[in-house]
Amino acid sequence: MAFFGCLYYAANRPGEAASLREDDFTLPEEGWGEVLLSTSMPRVGSGWTDTGESFDTRGLKKRARKATPPVPIPPVLVRLVREHIKEFGTAEDGRLFRAAQGGHLLSKEYGEVWKAARLAVLTESEAASPLADVPYSLRHAGVSLWLESGVTPAEVARRAGHSIAVLFRFYAKAIHRNQERANQQIERALEATD
């Protein structure tokens, strides 16, 4: 649950969430916490890495190699991460999320869990549709929620690790609705000054 929570509530990419360690989090008893993203650990195949391992530890996508942007996380994700650590602990190298045998979390494994979860909660017709068909959909839903909530596009882009151009290209519909809300707020302010 905490892995999927990181994809939704912090809009992490799966490779970013897979590399998270307990030390990357600030988890207060109450209120908002924070996660510092510094690496991504996508599975690329052993032929594509310098080490011969199937996972490659990389810097964050589209960010400077040393970039470690703090991302605020809501209380619900703080609780999920705390509960995950309490129940499962961490891997020997400090990672929060690992495979059943302790190795790196595979997209195949969390993909199977995601498919089962969709079947358990969606109607038959929803499950047959592309609705939230892959775990990455959680990231898109999280970014859309931020935009729909009125968070500025610049802040959403910063938190998600997007450029403004990418944000506007992929989330234009949500941004447009946000602009309509902004126009209404400006109109009310102008009417109040008359």
Side-chain angles (χ1 to χ4, degrees):
M1 286 191 323
F3 176 79
F4 294 128
C6 287
L7 302 185
Y8 178 67
Y9 295 113
N12 295 148
R13 292 172 179 90
E16 294 168 348
S19 68
L20 288 172
R21 290 167 164 66
E22 184 175 4
D23 292 346
D24 294 330
F25 288 91
T26 301
L27 302 169
E29 292 293 330
E30 292 184 21
W32 282 68
E34 194 171 73
V35 62
L36 288 172
L37 300 175
S38 59
T39 60
S40 182
M41 196 181 304
R43 184 168 189 205
V44 293
S46 60
W48 297 100
T49 65
D50 293 334
T51 62
E53 294 192 25
S54 63
F55 287 88
D56 194 20
T57 301
R58 302 176 174 178
L60 299 175
K61 186 175 179 182
K62 304 289 185 188
R63 298 183 195 170
R65 193 167 268 305
K66 299 279 185 184
T68 56
V71 175
I73 58 173
V76 63
L77 182 54
V78 170
R79 284 190 304 277
L80 283 173
V81 172
R82 283 178 163 278
E83 290 168 4
H84 178 87
I85 293 167
K86 184 178 179 181
E87 185 171 347
F88 301 106
T90 61
E92 287 183 22
D93 65 0
R95 284 176 296 111
L96 288 184
F97 308 117
R98 57 196 182 278
Q101 301 299 319
H104 292 283
L105 186 61
L106 302 174
S107 58
K108 176 185 170 199
E109 291 172 319
Y110 66 76
E112 289 173 3
V113 171
W114 183 249
K115 284 179 188 176
R118 284 184 80 247
L119 292 174
V121 300
L122 298 178
T123 66
E124 192 174 319
S125 64
E126 288 171 335
S129 78
L131 175 67
D133 58 345
V134 293
Y136 205 95
S137 300
L138 290 166
R139 175 175 160 78
H140 293 305
V143 170
S144 297
L145 173 70
W146 295 345
L147 288 167
E148 292 286 341
S149 298
V151 179
T152 65
E155 178 62 9
V156 171
R158 184 194 73 76
R159 289 182 183 204
H162 281 312
S163 68
I164 294 287
V166 166
L167 188 75
F168 275 81
R169 186 169 62 237
F170 289 102
Y171 299 95
K173 185 184 268 187
I175 290 170
H176 183 68
R177 284 192 298 267
N178 201 11
Q179 289 172 339
E180 290 173 10
R181 188 181 314 128
N183 289 348
Q184 293 169 355
Q185 291 170 329
I186 292 167
E187 190 171 335
R188 282 193 298 273
L190 289 172
E191 289 172 356
T193 59
D194 284 343

